[in-house]
Amino acid sequence: MNLHKFVSDSIKEKLAVLNTDLSNVTIEIPKIREHGDFSTNAAMVLAKPLGQSPRDIANMILPHIAALPFVADTSIAGPGFINIKLKDEFILESINHKSEIINQKSQIIDLDYGGYNIGKDLHIGHLRTTVVGDTFNRIAKHLGHKTKSYNHMGDWGRPMGLIIAWILEHGMPTDADEINKMYPASTTRANEDPEWMERAKKITAELQNGNPEYRKIYDTFAPMSLGRIDDILARLNILPFDENRGERLVAEYIPEFEKVLIAKNLIVTDDGAEIIPVKLNTDNAPMPPIMWRSSAGAQTYAAADLTAVYYRMRTDNPTDIIYFTDSRQNLHFTQVFRASRLAGFDNVNLQHIGYGAVTGADGKPFKTRDGGVASLIGVLDLSVESVQKRVAESGKNLPDETIQAIALAALKFNDLMHDVKSDYIFDADAITSFEGRTGPYILYTAVRLNSILKRVGAHTCAQGVCNTPLQSDERNLLLTILDFNRIINTAFDRRATDMLANYTYDLCQSINTFYHNCPILRDDVDTATRAHRIAIVQKSLETLSIAIDLMGLKIPDEM
Ligand code: ARG
């Protein structure tokens, strides 16, 4: 259950006797648990409308809150904050009958992340869209939403012309590595040789218009690239995309969608190009039009995104379409969203989550040692090396599968714990530490819980968590577990995957404090307490496993 919601609703129900607006009353979880399990600003907020001092109001409402059956104790702090302590019995009841109650009304949500490119290796710039998009997808599914994940591939633009031009001269590549070298080579040549550039542009336009020779070449190399992408995503433990539908497949819908745009008079010819103006009278900042079709007659990036909205609306009719891309695409999405409204899609929430950069210590985009763009797998391999070094230093001998799982957790957790919008510094050695706010620490905690349960064997306790009074570390841990539902709902509502990661860290802290202060298997622990604590371990592992799974991490057997 969502304990926070239950407590909030119950308190507000009691305050209804005051017959006043309660919308600004909030129920918080104090940072310092000694102050109470929950606290409310009700007295401060209501002082003005009720014309009394906050303390007087607090004294007046205190008995109402104290009368709630689950409240053990109330007190007034500072100028009029009310602190509330729950009854241990209520905590036990809540934890033992914890059902994953879902508070959300199920929605159909289209998610657009990944957006990889045919002919280009996945690089560090794809880390956040992949990790955050995948975790958000998992959270939404966990809450009962119907999601559809789209990999809006860059597979139909000028890079395809550049690659085909290169292939026509140098022959067909044999694997993705070869293709990934062709695109930069051809680009360098195009930058030096205008004729080559013209050639690539012409090939692109002809490919888009159905030239069979170019299409045959395309159909030979594109699958190699796609296969490579699938391998990388599998190694990263990313859910398979529901649709690999990018610029090329969306293009099939351009003719019919264009009719809609023309009927609405939205397309304007401008210097040989076709554009869609999206500027509003209220704009202060410049708002360029959407380029619908270039003067060379080529399909544009914006046309693909706009048509993708059309495709998704008619195929999925989603309540939301959420995009996870680099924040440098903010303007692009503002334009696309405006044009979508003009085209008549106003029953859908279009949202762009623009993320910050992954940088080196210098604050500039992270580069490899030789100064090149770091590939996504290269970054994972750096984490693997770092984990290998640590494990070797500690004298342990862990199987490769475990090393890989730890490194992946290091990389993903570090990405998730940062606010999506902000930049962060990538440091392979910092993220692989087994202590502190890191993926390995999270996994280590789960491995520890598993090993406790393995040691106790099947001795689980039928009555669940049962001892009262609860010790403070037991109590804190149980309350943290009971906060999971609120976290997951808020993380979803705010599109804030960092809330999940940071909650998981707090949960692990509470688990380890409990483990240190509340012996379980020691000889002097009586049977009832042991059973009770084993039940706490089970409840902890249940929630921790869900959190770990939502982040796309895997718990190793040993660490
Ligand atoms: N392929 C693009 C790139 O690598 C990103 C695509 C983002 N998604 C989208 N719907 N435009 O820059």
Side-chain angles (χ1 to χ4, degrees):
M1 77 185 227
N2 187 333
L3 184 70
H4 176 262
K5 187 170 183 315
F6 176 78
V7 171
S8 297
D9 291 352
S10 307
I11 292 175
K12 288 200 174 178
E13 225 167 81
K14 282 284 178 191
L15 296 183
V17 296
L18 299 174
N19 241 327
T20 182
D21 175 25
L22 300 175
S23 50
N24 289 327
V25 171
T26 58
I27 317 298
E28 307 283 338
I29 299 171
K31 291 257 170 323
I32 305 168
R33 275 272 155 83
E34 280 74 56
H35 291 174
D37 302 324
F38 291 94
S39 77
T40 175
N41 62 354
M44 335 269 280
V45 170
L46 301 179
K48 203 154 179 213
L50 297 180
Q52 291 179 51
S53 77
R55 270 212 97 92
D56 287 344
I57 305 264
N59 280 317
M60 176 174 82
I61 60 187
L62 214 58
H64 293 288
I65 296 177
L68 285 164
F70 55 82
V71 171
D73 195 16
T74 50
S75 59
I76 303 175
F81 282 107
I82 297 173
N83 289 325
I84 300 148
K85 203 165 169 164
L86 303 181
K87 284 186 180 151
D88 283 358
E89 290 72 17
F90 175 66
I91 296 177
L92 297 189
E93 174 74 14
S94 308
I95 200 92
N96 289 328
H97 302 110
K98 181 166 73 77
S99 58
E100 273 313 312
I101 292 182
I102 291 155
N103 304 304
Q104 307 257 343
K105 196 167 139 264
S106 176
Q107 297 167 350
I108 300 171
I109 305 172
D110 282 355
L111 299 170
D112 183 316
Y113 55 94
Y116 314 110
N117 303 304
I118 295 290
K120 279 194 237 172
D121 201 6
L122 268 60
H123 54 82
I124 189 157
H126 290 117
L127 178 64
R128 307 204 80 180
T129 181
T130 306
V131 172
V132 171
D134 181 63
T135 288
F136 189 80
N137 189 9
R138 292 173 192 252
I139 292 175
K141 282 180 193 290
H142 180 77
L143 290 173
H145 298 298
K146 211 174 155 307
T147 64
K148 192 158 166 195
S149 57
Y150 280 93
N151 178 13
H152 184 88
M153 306 272 301
D155 56 2
W156 209 227
R158 174 126 16 111
M160 301 307 109
L162 285 160
I163 293 172
I164 293 171
W166 195 265
I167 290 175
L168 287 169
E169 245 188 47
H170 299 263
M172 201 49 98
T174 52
D175 63 16
D177 285 329
E178 261 183 61
I179 304 168
N180 292 348
K181 285 188 196 118
M182 290 181 162
Y183 171 63
S186 188
T187 305
T188 310
R189 176 152 170 203
N191 289 338
E192 287 157 5
D193 174 0
E195 231 169 81
W196 187 257
M197 179 62 99
E198 275 319 302
R199 211 171 146 190
K201 280 190 191 169
K202 203 163 154 261
I203 295 176
T204 308
E206 286 178 22
L207 171 72
Q208 291 179 354
N209 292 324
N211 177 310
E213 186 198 357
Y214 300 159
R215 185 55 197 250
K216 210 171 145 210
I217 299 177
Y218 178 91
D219 284 340
T220 312
F221 75 79
M224 295 182 199
S225 234
L226 260 175
R228 169 62 56 87
I229 292 170
D230 284 345
D231 292 347
I232 295 176
L233 295 179
R235 185 164 166 211
L236 293 171
N237 193 27
I238 298 300
L239 296 176
F241 281 92
D242 294 312
E243 281 204 42
N244 275 327
R245 180 174 292 274
E247 296 169 0
R248 176 172 72 85
L249 288 176
V250 142
E252 293 169 7
Y253 293 84
I254 288 185
E256 58 179 87
F257 180 44
E258 195 166 45
K259 289 197 192 117
V260 177
L261 298 175
I262 290 170
K264 292 186 182 268
N265 259 327
L266 295 174
I267 302 182
V268 176
T269 312
D270 180 72
D271 220 359
E274 288 168 28
I275 60 169
I276 303 174
V278 290
K279 192 168 162 55
L280 301 172
N281 291 333
T282 45
D283 281 331
N284 296 321
M287 181 52 66
I290 277 203
M291 179 69 76
W292 174 253
R293 186 173 283 116
S294 80
S295 50
Q299 179 183 326
T300 62
Y301 183 55
D305 264 318
L306 191 51
T307 310
V309 175
Y310 170 78
Y311 172 82
R312 293 166 193 179
M313 292 310 292
R314 70 200 285 282
T315 322
D316 313 327
N317 192 23
T319 45
D320 301 77
I321 308 180
I322 311 176
Y323 300 77
F324 298 86
T325 83
D326 192 310
S327 59
R328 283 175 297 186
Q329 297 202 34
N330 285 349
L331 175 64
H332 165 74
F333 282 105
T334 306
Q335 293 172 305
V336 170
F337 294 173
R338 284 189 182 191
S340 304
R341 298 274 175 252
L342 292 172
F345 306 125
D346 33 33
N347 273 330
V348 59
N349 169 41
L350 301 170
Q351 192 176 8
H352 175 228
I353 310 294
Y355 54 80
V358 181
T359 74
D362 57 0
K364 303 214 179 88
F366 183 82
K367 293 258 157 39
T368 54
R369 248 176 250 130
D370 58 16
V373 177
S375 73
L376 193 45
I377 286 302
V379 176
L380 176 57
D381 285 340
L382 284 178
S383 315
V384 170
E385 275 167 38
S386 172
V387 173
Q388 274 163 342
K389 215 169 61 201
R390 279 179 194 282
V391 170
E393 274 164 16
S394 73
K396 280 187 201 148
N397 190 7
L398 295 178
D400 185 57
E401 201 189 330
T402 301
I403 305 259
Q404 296 287 339
I406 299 172
L408 187 62
L411 186 67
K412 283 183 159 185
F413 181 82
N414 180 61
D415 191 75
L416 287 166
M417 76 181 200
H418 290 96
D419 177 348
V420 202
K421 286 179 213 66
S422 57
D423 296 354
Y424 73 79
I425 296 174
F426 174 75
D427 174 347
D429 285 330
I431 64 173
T432 57
S433 168
F434 280 37
E435 279 149 41
R437 205 176 284 267
T438 67
Y441 173 73
I442 305 296
L443 294 189
Y444 187 76
T445 307
V447 168
R448 167 177 272 171
L449 295 182
N450 265 328
S451 102
I452 298 170
L453 293 180
K454 238 178 263 161
R455 266 184 288 160
V456 298
H459 294 287
T460 54
C461 76
Q463 72 271 44
V465 185
C466 51
N467 274 14
T468 54
L470 287 165
Q471 300 214 350
S472 75
D473 294 318
E474 296 175 339
R475 210 168 179 284
N476 280 345
L477 173 52
L478 295 176
L479 286 169
T480 308
I481 295 172
L482 288 169
D483 201 26
F484 179 63
N485 199 310
R486 174 185 74 90
I487 292 287
I488 209 74
N489 276 285
T490 319
F492 172 81
D493 291 340
R494 297 194 194 151
R495 300 4 182 169
T497 41
D498 57 313
M499 283 188 72
L500 169 65
N502 290 305
Y503 165 83
T504 310
Y505 173 71
D506 293 341
L507 175 63
C508 289
Q509 292 274 75
S510 303
I511 290 171
N512 287 314
T513 309
F514 157 79
Y515 177 80
H516 281 292
N517 298 338
C518 305
I520 303 170
L521 302 173
R522 224 167 57 189
D523 290 345
D524 58 338
V525 179
D526 63 82
T527 333
T529 303
R530 180 172 300 159
H532 156 83
R533 289 190 177 152
I534 290 171
I536 296 182
V537 168
Q538 282 169 330
K539 295 291 175 188
S540 304
L541 187 58
E542 243 170 59
T543 299
L544 181 55
S545 303
I546 297 173
I548 286 176
D549 189 56
L550 292 176
M551 293 188 284
L553 320 182
K554 289 186 217 150
I555 306 174
D557 290 336
E558 53 168 337
M559 257 178 92

